[in-house]
Amino acid sequence: MGKVIAMANQKGGVGKTTCAINLGGALVEMGKRVLCMDLDPQANLSVGLGLDLNTVEGSMANVLIDPDVTLRSIIRESKTKRLDVAPTTIELSSAEVELFSAIGREMALRDKLTPDVLDEYDYVIIDCPPTLGLLTLNALVAADGVIIPVQTQYYALKGVAALLRIIKTVQARLNPELKVLGLLPTFYDSRTILGRDMLDSLKDLGEHQVFSTVIRQSVKVGEAPTAGVPITVYEPRSDAAKAFLDLAKEVVRAQ
């Protein structure tokens, strides 16, 4: 059955969506079949993989709220072969509010990740919203592993400890199988002293491993979503594409 990986950090702008899309694309390049799940009401992952939100009828909001809507029924093909999307829309914000009064609200996503879906994919990558709310909690409860993208800047590092505390609580009470696959340095600029110092600080943060792969600032990575494809398709020979392929290899080894 497919491995479920949550891409989580409560701080916005650290590259969660970018990493989810491009890790998915890199895994596809390795011959894997991947489902990217958009659990952020901003729907950037859905758009970044080429979906027109005006054509989205069923979304993750319906899956989480309506017991009769299956995850399989809303999955769409992206522009990239073997890379599918479970899209979302802004309606997911109101769906999260509805979930608060639901029985077993933390398990809503896990219950919808049925064997027929997991058997079809090697990896399910969940793009979480930039909060520690119920949507992120659902992702952590449903996941086998979590990757924490961390921008190599001072304020980004400060928030990681809070997320790690939440993860420990989830491991203790709701999902003992959840594994922190690693902290992923993003937006790294080796030319600056701050960038180098923050990378060293990240490695000294605690017991969790830091991926050897570092995601650097890249114009091409920013351009790829406009084409609706991962960087591995948009500019396969770029340094950024190579970095995400290296990350994918690390993720496969970590499982």
Side-chain angles (χ1 to χ4, degrees), residues 183 197-208 210:
L183 309 178
D197 287 349
M198 289 301 102
L199 185 58
D200 290 339
S201 298
L202 193 59
K203 292 176 180 177
D204 294 337
L205 200 58
E207 74 250 33
H208 299 293
V210 178

Side-chain angles (χ1 to χ4, degrees), residues 7 15-27 29-30 184-186 213-216 218 220-222 230-232 238-251:
M7 198 73 67
K16 286 188 299 296
T17 301
T18 296
C19 292
I21 289 173
N22 292 305
L23 174 59
L27 288 166
E29 289 295 316
M30 295 175 65
L184 176 61
T186 60
T213 304
V214 174
I215 307 303
R216 300 174 184 271
S218 167
K220 292 297 182 184
V221 168
I231 188 64
T232 46
S238 64
D239 289 341
K242 182 181 182 300
F244 279 106
L245 285 167
D246 289 342
L247 174 62
K249 291 171 186 174
E250 285 197 73
V251 168

Side-chain angles (χ1 to χ4, degrees), residues 150-158 185-189 192-205 210:
V150 186
Q151 194 172 3
T152 46
Q153 293 184 1
Y154 177 70
Y155 290 116
L157 293 181
K158 294 189 72 175
T186 60
F187 296 101
Y188 179 62
D189 188 347
T192 68
I193 294 174
L194 177 62
R196 296 194 296 271
D197 287 349
M198 289 301 102
L199 185 58
D200 290 339
S201 298
L202 193 59
K203 292 176 180 177
D204 294 337
L205 200 58
V210 178

Side-chain angles (χ1 to χ4, degrees), residues 101-176:
S101 59
I103 296 172
R105 58 193 181 184
E106 301 94 347
M107 316 291 184
L109 179 58
R110 188 177 72 179
D111 291 346
K112 290 299 181 84
L113 276 165
T114 49
D116 64 314
V117 174
L118 292 176
D119 284 344
E120 192 170 332
Y121 298 98
D122 297 298
Y123 288 91
V124 177
I125 301 173
I126 307 172
D127 183 29
C128 297
T131 66
L132 290 179
L134 195 49
L135 293 174
T136 297
L137 183 59
N138 262 267
L140 295 175
V141 170
D144 301 300
V146 55
I147 294 173
I148 305 171
V150 186
Q151 194 172 3
T152 46
Q153 293 184 1
Y154 177 70
Y155 290 116
L157 293 181
K158 294 189 72 175
V160 173
L163 176 58
L164 291 174
R165 284 196 297 272
I166 293 289
I167 289 171
K168 282 189 175 181
T169 302
V170 170
Q171 289 169 326
R173 299 182 181 179
L174 297 167
N175 184 5

